[in-house]
């Protein structure tokens, strides 16, 4: 037992997923691999993609089996619960557990994150103005086209399916 940390034993540490890094390996230990932290929202996007591929509602166990990598069941439940809180998935009681259905795709999840950031700011006009000024000319044109389509809800070619504001 490590005397520096009472009650600590190396076998009690959770396993860490080893993913090769794009950077060269540790020069001291050439056979070692660096651990890569996932980007914010990466697991959520993976879980949404798996749920989206299901032929209907799926259990957390099914999601866990279809994810790349070895995630703990509790991790999958945590991610699904967070997605539920963000309205990105729905759930239905099935006995003592839930089945989960994707209510959004990866683009929808990104839009929810963008909306949450915007909702947390006091000066929405300034945030939106800075966002627009940072867009590439191509993205600015796409945004203009999407806004024009959203302003014409009766247009049968409106891919947004939303009413103008």
């Amino acid at each position: 037992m490590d005397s520096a940390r009472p009650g600590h034993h190396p076998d009690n540490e959770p396993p860490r997923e080893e993913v090769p890094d794009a950077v060269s390996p540790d020069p001291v230990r050439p056979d070692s691999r660096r651990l890569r932290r996932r980007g914010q929202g990466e697991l959520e996007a993976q879980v949404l993609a798996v749920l989206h591929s299901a032929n209907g509602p799926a259990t957390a166990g099914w999601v866990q089996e279809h994810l790349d990598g070895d995630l703990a069941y509790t991790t999958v439940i945590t991610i699904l619960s967070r997605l539920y809180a963000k309205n990105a998935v729905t759930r239905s009681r099935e006995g003592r557990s839930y089945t989960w259905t994707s209510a959004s795709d990866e683009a929808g999840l990104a839009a929810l994150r963008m909306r949450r950031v915007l909702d947390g700011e006091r000066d929405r006009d300034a945030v939106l103005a800075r966002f627009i000024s940072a867009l590439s000319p191509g993205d600015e044109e796409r945004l203009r086209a999407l806004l024009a389509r959203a302003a014409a809800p009766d247009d049968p070619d409106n891919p947004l399916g939303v009413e103008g504001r």
Side-chain angles (χ1 to χ4, degrees), residues 58-77:
T59 64
W62 186 92
V63 172
Q64 179 189 23
E65 289 174 17
H66 288 83
L67 282 169
D68 293 333
D70 295 323
L71 287 180
Y73 179 81
T74 54
T75 302
V76 174
I77 289 290

Side-chain angles (χ1 to χ4, degrees), residues 42-127:
E42 190 175 336
L43 278 177
E44 290 179 347
Q46 289 174 358
V47 167
L48 270 181
V50 166
L51 266 181
H52 200 66
S53 73
N55 292 330
T59 64
W62 186 92
V63 172
Q64 179 189 23
E65 289 174 17
H66 288 83
L67 282 169
D68 293 333
D70 295 323
L71 287 180
Y73 179 81
T74 54
T75 302
V76 174
I77 289 290
T78 298
I79 295 165
L80 287 167
S81 298
R82 289 178 181 166
L83 289 169
Y84 178 75
K86 296 175 183 179
N87 297 319
V89 299
T90 60
R91 67 182 183 191
S92 299
R93 179 68 77 180
E94 295 285 329
R96 293 181 1 205
S97 61
Y98 291 104
T99 57
W100 306 83
T101 306
S102 174
S104 183
D105 56 9
E106 288 184 52
L109 182 59
L112 286 169
R113 285 194 302 261
M114 291 167 66
R115 178 64 186 261
R116 199 170 53 238
V117 168
L118 185 60
D119 287 346
E121 296 298 324
R122 285 184 293 135
D123 191 349
R124 294 172 74 94
D125 289 347
V127 172

